[in-house]
Every structure is written in C-alpha cells, then in structure tokens.
Amino acid sequence: MTTTHERPSEEIRILATGGTFDKEYNELDGTLYFEDSHLYEMLKKGRSTLRINIRTLMMVDSLEMTKSDREVILHSCLRSEVSKIIITHGTDTMIDTAQLLKEQITDKTVILTGALIPYAFGTSDGFFNLGNAIGFVQVLMPGVYICMNGRIFNPDEVKKNYSTGFFEAIS
C-alpha cells in the first residue's frame, strides 16, 4: 500500500489596498465606496485550502494613492517573513507600484492583481484574477509581477489598454 504525504503549503500573504476590486455600490446615489475587503468571501467561495493570511493596508482608489501609500506597500513586503505575496490594487496605477517594488524586492515572489469591475457587482473579473494570482505566486521565481486577464506580466513590459480594458504586453 502506497501512502502519499502532502507537503504543507507555504503561507501566502495577501495585502489589500483597495481599488475597484473591493469597491461597493450605493444603489441610491450611484457612487462607489469602500467598506471591507471581499477577499475572505472570495477565498471561501473558491474553496481555498491554502494557508493564506490577509492584511488590509489601506482602502483607496489607485488614482488617489500617494507616494506614502506606495511606501507602506513596499515596507510591508520588505518586512514580511512570508516570501509569497499578492497585492490587490487598483488597475490605474498598478504598474507604477509594481515598478517601485521591483526596484527593491528580489528575494520574494510578489504579484499585483486587481479588477476592472467591482467584485460586489457579481460579474467581476476580480475572482478570476485572484485565482490566477494565487496559482502563479506558488510557481513563479522570486520577482515582481502583474497578473491580469489570465496572464502574467513583467511590470516594465505591460500597459493597460484603456479602450479595451485589458492589460497587454508592450511590444
């Protein structure tokens, strides 16, 4: 009789920073706002069995993210004892944050992901992007990456196409 021994999974840290990913919709006045992260619900719905630790750093739209906010993200990654990190981030300035992180983080696998449609809408791409980021963070070599639309990108070789809503490799 053969027995298999499953290795315990390495812990994955998710840092929530806000962005469209976690926005709520006020049906009365049509505004988008932040309340709590949807990450816990998403992991539960996805039936994740991984060791995932979620930390909310901030809840801001990435267009309103400051240099100080990016420094908080950087220092959270640098101080983390965990080597596999996912950052949920607004898509408008995700590339800027990824490039900053790439300059200083070389010994950890860091993936930034987000959504163009709020998770609360029910038709969000955030669920798909989060699932992909969780898979990629477990297998990629140390470095900083962007995970959107089922693809993984180097922060220096990607752009957001505002007319299609997709992230694309820069040719």
Side-chain angles (χ1 to χ4, degrees), residues 99-110:
Q99 288 172 335
L100 171 72
L101 299 178
K102 185 178 177 183
E103 292 172 6
Q104 297 194 44
I105 299 173
T106 58
D107 61 338
K108 298 174 182 176
T109 305
V110 179

Side-chain angles (χ1 to χ4, degrees), residues 94-103 110-112 140 142-148 151-160 167-171:
M94 179 186 292
I95 296 168
D96 299 333
T97 302
Q99 288 172 335
L100 171 72
L101 299 178
K102 185 178 177 183
E103 292 172 6
V110 179
I111 298 181
L112 288 83
L140 287 172
V144 177
Y145 306 90
I146 290 176
C147 176
M148 290 294 293
R151 298 179 63 192
I152 198 80
F153 300 98
N154 176 323
D156 297 327
E157 300 171 358
V158 65
K159 67 178 181 175
K160 179 179 175 182
F167 276 66
E168 303 171 344
I170 297 172
S171 7

Side-chain angles (χ1 to χ4, degrees), residues 19-167:
T20 300
F21 203 92
D22 276 322
K23 286 188 176 176
E24 298 284 346
Y25 179 66
N26 182 327
E27 294 176 11
L28 297 177
D29 65 13
T31 59
L32 294 172
Y33 66 96
F34 292 105
E35 197 167 275
D36 290 321
S37 178
H38 297 288
L39 289 166
Y40 298 98
E41 177 185 349
M42 294 170 80
L43 292 171
K44 185 177 178 182
K45 279 186 178 183
R47 300 173 45 93
S48 174
T49 59
L50 299 170
R51 289 180 37 219
I52 296 177
N53 179 296
I54 301 169
R55 295 201 178 155
T56 301
L57 298 183
M58 62 199 71
M59 284 288 172
V60 299
D61 186 292
S62 72
L63 289 173
E64 298 172 2
M65 189 172 279
T66 66
K67 182 179 180 190
S68 295
D69 292 332
R70 285 189 175 78
E71 291 292 324
V72 167
I73 296 168
L74 172 63
H75 291 298
S76 295
C77 290
L78 290 172
R79 285 193 319 260
S80 175
E81 67 284 357
V82 175
S83 66
K84 299 184 181 311
I85 302 169
I86 296 169
I87 301 167
T88 59
H89 195 291
T91 60
D92 286 317
T93 66
M94 179 186 292
I95 296 168
D96 299 333
T97 302
Q99 288 172 335
L100 171 72
L101 299 178
K102 185 178 177 183
E103 292 172 6
Q104 297 194 44
I105 299 173
T106 58
D107 61 338
K108 298 174 182 176
T109 305
V110 179
I111 298 181
L112 288 83
T113 193
L116 293 174
I117 302 166
Y119 174 75
F121 282 18
T123 58
S124 176
D125 53 331
F127 199 68
F128 179 72
N129 291 334
L130 178 64
N132 277 286
I134 290 170
F136 281 128
V137 80
Q138 295 178 79
V139 298
L140 287 172
M141 297 297 294
V144 177
Y145 306 90
I146 290 176
C147 176
M148 290 294 293
N149 315 114
R151 298 179 63 192
I152 198 80
F153 300 98
N154 176 323
D156 297 327
E157 300 171 358
V158 65
K159 67 178 181 175
K160 179 179 175 182
N161 183 326
Y162 285 87
S163 62
T164 65
F166 292 101
F167 276 66

Side-chain angles (χ1 to χ4, degrees), residues 2-16:
T2 306
T3 56
T4 59
H5 297 283
E6 187 175 318
R7 281 187 340 186
S9 65
E10 185 177 348
E11 182 178 328
I12 298 169
R13 168 93 21 96
I14 300 179
L15 302 175

